[in-house]
Amino acid sequence: MNLGLDQVINQDEDITADIVDKFLIQEKYENESGFNVRQALLKISDGFTFDDIAKDMKLKNTTELVKKLNEARMQYAPMARVWFEESNKQRKILTI
């Protein structure tokens, strides 16, 4: 899923925001922030505007939405990287 985001999350190894977003949409994880990142990402992928999403989620503005999305991406990037690497290993095993 391409959400039109060309951001890179810097860790020991780089991982794209697109991969982190896929992880956040598809997998289960603990979210203690109270911000429903999955809901926000699904609305983005469904074509809702950032303004509409921010209003629906009762956020001050789109800046707060982007900040919360980026905080979640940074928090879950290490898990997403492992998830992505394991998914690639499984695909390679299945193609052998």
Side-chain angles (χ1 to χ4, degrees):
M1 168 188 320
N2 184 350
L3 300 177
L5 303 173
D6 296 328
Q7 301 173 6
V8 174
I9 309 290
N10 291 318
Q11 296 291 326
D12 294 333
E13 296 176 30
D14 289 339
I15 184 168
T16 63
D18 188 46
I19 293 169
V20 178
D21 290 353
K22 285 179 187 177
F23 170 81
L24 291 169
I25 289 170
Q26 296 177 11
E27 298 301 317
K28 293 182 181 181
Y29 48 89
E30 285 188 36
N31 181 1
E32 298 174 2
S33 72
F35 173 68
N36 190 339
V37 64
R38 179 177 285 130
Q39 178 186 14
L41 291 170
L42 287 173
K43 286 180 180 253
I44 291 168
S45 69
D46 286 343
F48 287 85
T49 67
F50 277 59
D51 285 332
D52 289 340
I53 297 166
K55 287 177 189 172
D56 280 353
M57 299 185 84
K58 298 181 178 31
L59 300 173
K60 294 177 204 168
N61 50 39
T62 57
T63 302
E64 185 179 6
L65 173 62
V66 171
K67 180 182 174 191
K68 288 185 176 290
L69 283 170
N70 287 334
E71 287 171 353
R73 288 174 177 138
M74 293 296 292
Q75 179 180 355
Y76 294 104
M79 285 189 275
R81 185 177 60 241
V82 172
W83 169 78
F84 182 70
E85 290 168 356
E86 290 300 316
S87 297
N88 283 340
K89 286 180 189 174
Q90 291 299 319
R91 278 188 227 118
K92 287 179 184 176
I93 290 171
L94 292 175
T95 58
I96 294 177

